[in-house]
Amino acid sequence: MFFSLASSITAALISAERFYAIYWPLKHRTLSTRAYRLAIFMVWTMAILFSMVYVLLFWSPMTLYSFQCLYVLFLVLTICGLNIGIWRKFKQKTPSHQQNRVFQQQRLTKALLYVSIFTLISWIPISVYYLISSFGYHIHDHILLLTLFMYLSSSFINPVVYATRIPEFKQAMPNIVCCF
């Protein structure tokens, strides 16, 4: 559960970072490594805290399902809102002297947008499951396993999308695989 929470929080944070980069590119360039380290620290801290809440609420299934439903709903709405903002910005024209940099930025943002969309699609079944469960309906355990599989599959999809959409990632992938 801890790693699942960290993954989902990271997906939302990536959308927020891309939104910031698209709307305020000059400010984004001045972000320091310290800001990224702080964001990573926040992701893991939030994952630990939410995992603790999950463990504490485990004995109260109705409250647990409600917490999970609200958590997933908040992340889904956040990611959707940020990606809609990014998509709207893509529709605007940019000055021609900035075309190369804008093209690179758009390529990266589109890849991350695809990752966010795949993540969102993989979260929808678990969100519906938690919503139905929060109303007290019992759903077969096989359906729970299927929804969990889809939820966790987004972690597998991310590197595939990165490798197909970002040339730099594709070039670095053999070095990463050879290390293992």
Side-chain angles (χ1 to χ4, degrees):
M1 186 53 134
F2 169 72
F3 291 112
S4 171
L5 291 168
S7 176
S8 59
I9 294 168
T10 300
L13 199 60
I14 287 171
S15 293
E17 190 270 342
R18 285 289 89 199
F19 182 84
Y20 185 72
I22 293 297
Y23 276 88
W24 298 283
L26 297 177
K27 287 184 179 181
H28 180 263
R29 279 196 222 157
T30 62
L31 279 178
S32 66
T33 306
R34 183 175 183 236
Y36 285 100
R37 286 182 182 150
L38 180 62
I40 292 168
F41 175 76
M42 286 176 31
V43 165
W44 290 105
T45 302
M46 289 171 62
I48 289 170
L49 292 174
F50 288 151
S51 295
M52 286 185 201
V53 169
Y54 181 84
V55 169
L56 292 173
L57 296 177
F58 186 77
W59 304 109
S60 175
M62 293 299 289
T63 309
L64 176 63
Y65 290 142
S66 298
F67 171 75
Q68 289 172 328
C69 186
L70 288 173
Y71 168 78
V72 172
L73 182 65
F74 175 76
L75 287 178
V76 165
L77 291 176
T78 300
I79 289 173
C80 284
L82 291 169
N83 286 326
I84 287 169
I86 291 168
W87 195 256
R88 287 182 64 201
K89 188 68 171 182
F90 275 152
K91 298 296 181 186
Q92 297 175 356
K93 298 292 181 193
T94 56
S96 61
H97 67 279
Q98 297 177 351
Q99 286 299 331
N100 190 30
R101 181 173 292 150
V102 169
F103 176 73
Q104 291 173 345
Q105 190 78 302
Q106 285 182 343
R107 187 179 60 199
L108 175 61
T109 301
K110 283 181 182 178
L112 294 173
L113 185 63
Y114 291 141
V115 167
S116 297
I117 290 169
F118 287 132
T119 301
L120 183 64
I121 290 169
S122 70
W123 286 358
I124 290 173
I126 199 76
S127 302
V128 171
Y129 175 84
Y130 289 145
L131 181 66
I132 292 170
S133 297
S134 70
F135 289 113
Y137 296 106
H138 178 71
I139 300 173
H140 200 275
D141 290 341
H142 289 105
I143 294 174
L144 172 62
L145 290 175
L146 180 63
T147 59
L148 285 173
F149 174 77
M150 289 183 68
Y151 174 69
L152 297 173
S153 69
S154 68
S155 297
F156 171 75
I157 292 172
N158 293 355
V160 172
V161 172
Y162 293 147
T164 57
R165 299 287 303 171
I166 303 172
E168 295 87 2
F169 191 89
K170 190 185 293 186
Q171 291 170 352
M173 192 61 132
N175 294 338
I176 294 169
V177 173
C178 290
C179 293
F180 294 108

